[in-house]
Amino acid sequence: MKTVFFLMTALATMLGSAGGLAAEVVVVRPGEDVQAVIVKGRDAPRPLVVELAAGRHELTQPLVFTEADSGLTLQGPADGAAILAGSVVIREWKAVGGREGLFEALLPEAVRKRPPRHLFIDGEMAPRARTPNTGWLESPGTLATEPPVTLAIPREYSVNAWTTEDGIWIVGLQKWAGFKFPVHDVDAAANAVRFIGKLFPHRQEKVNRFWIENEPAALDMPGEWRIDPRRGVVQVLSPTGQPPVGGSVTVPILSEIIRVENCHGITLRNLHVCEVDDDLPPGGEVDVQAAAVRRGAIRIVGGRQITITNCMLRGLGGYAIDLGRGSRDCLIDTCQLHHLGAGGVRIGEMRPEEDPAAVVSGHQVEGCTIHEYGRTYFGAVGLIVFQASRNRLVRNEVHHGNYTAISIGWT
């Protein structure tokens, strides 16, 4: 796609400008290639501002900032009207015969081999079809910890019609975390399923709490959705009973939308980041405490003095912002982080670093609001500091999560 450059020479008043120098501002309109503009700007003098015009900017690959981008600012209008979306719109819907309000469409090619775990209707994270619709099922008996694991399903929910081609998942709750595994085998005689996973012995309970996701018959509440992996289609039980129109249904194709690698002085300002999936392996996994293995939609590795200010991040499958290995002295200021599959901000790594260059330290998270988090990974934390030092979490408001608001220290 052709990229149009608009150059302005007004005196810069934003972070990233210095010494009274005028900033070159490059405006990118929706549909143009943001990464191409960033790459072209690597030869431009600093300060340089890449400004996203108002509208929806759909990304098919994460934006990547490298050492050559140091000192660059990526910003949107002050009102947050520039949307960076890690999703695409699904438009070609058709009615499913014999079921009022049920519609289906082909999945985008980009996600057909690895179906997404999230879908968005009118910008909201829609619930995947599940049984029961609220709460959980219970099955007595301690589970095995070595695969394959057998789980008895209550008799009132017959598995006779289930097949392993339906893409059915079991989501289990165990103390402070849980597990998510696809059904590997169905035992109709025992009304049980088996999945391939290794569970933690210390988490096993006398009664198993779980629910079933993506089973065909579970699609019974308006607004729910499921994927038929055999045909590569997504089905939606329309909240209005009418076919989805316009851009009302979007499916994420990215699990990471911005990566900042080994550079300094990058500023992200006034961005509205949304609709990013998580990175759960296709074979499922046991949740680690605090959803510690989930990464962020914005991920900083080796970044120094990175500023993220006045941004909104919503509708994300994992953590929102991830200050990872080798990151130092970054500022996250006055951001809104909400409706998150995992948590808001994760700082550091789970293991201590022996290489001094890899140590995480000196970050500040101030004046942020984090809410409706832990929607997919129930043990996620609003603000968590793993192996990292000299960090400040100041005047943040954290609410509506399932587990801990702020966790510091890890080991």
Coordinates of all heavy atoms in Angstrom, one line a residue, residues 51 70 140-141 152-153 309 324 337 403:
E51 N 2.9 9.9 13.5 CA 1.6 10.2 14.0 C 0.6 9.4 13.3 O 0.4 9.5 12.0 CB 1.3 11.7 14.0 CG 0.0 12.0 14.6 CD -0.2 13.5 14.8 OE1 0.7 14.1 15.4 OE2 -1.3 14.0 14.4
S70 N 15.7 4.4 18.0 CA 15.9 5.1 19.2 C 15.6 6.6 19.1 O 16.0 7.2 18.1 CB 17.3 5.0 19.8 OG 17.5 3.6 20.2
P140 N -16.3 -35.7 41.2 CA -15.5 -36.2 42.3 C -14.3 -37.0 41.8 O -14.3 -37.6 40.7 CB -16.5 -37.0 43.1 CG -17.5 -37.5 42.1 CD -17.6 -36.3 41.1
G141 N -13.3 -37.1 42.6 CA -12.1 -37.9 42.2 C -10.9 -37.1 41.9 O -11.0 -36.2 41.1
A152 N -14.1 -37.3 34.4 CA -15.5 -37.8 34.3 C -16.4 -36.6 34.1 O -16.2 -35.6 34.8 CB -15.9 -38.6 35.5
I153 N -17.3 -36.6 33.2 CA -18.3 -35.6 32.9 C -19.6 -36.0 33.6 O -20.0 -37.2 33.5 CB -18.5 -35.4 31.4 CG1 -17.1 -35.1 30.7 CG2 -19.4 -34.2 31.2 CD1 -16.4 -33.9 31.1
T309 N 2.6 6.6 27.5 CA 1.8 7.6 28.3 C 0.4 7.9 27.6 O 0.3 7.9 26.4 CB 2.6 8.9 28.4 OG1 1.9 9.8 29.2 CG2 2.9 9.5 27.0
G324 N 10.2 -6.7 29.9 CA 10.9 -8.0 30.0 C 12.4 -7.8 30.1 O 13.0 -6.8 30.5
L337 N -5.9 0.4 31.3 CA -5.7 -1.0 30.9 C -6.9 -1.8 31.4 O -7.1 -2.0 32.6 CB -4.4 -1.6 31.5 CG -3.2 -0.7 31.4 CD1 -2.0 -1.3 32.1 CD2 -2.8 -0.4 30.0
Y403 N -8.0 -12.3 41.3 CA -6.9 -12.7 42.2 C -6.3 -11.5 42.8 O -7.0 -10.6 43.3 CB -6.0 -13.6 41.4 CG -4.9 -14.3 42.1 CD1 -5.1 -15.0 43.3 CD2 -3.6 -14.3 41.6 CE1 -4.1 -15.6 44.0 CE2 -2.6 -15.0 42.3 CZ -2.8 -15.7 43.5 OH -1.8 -16.3 44.1

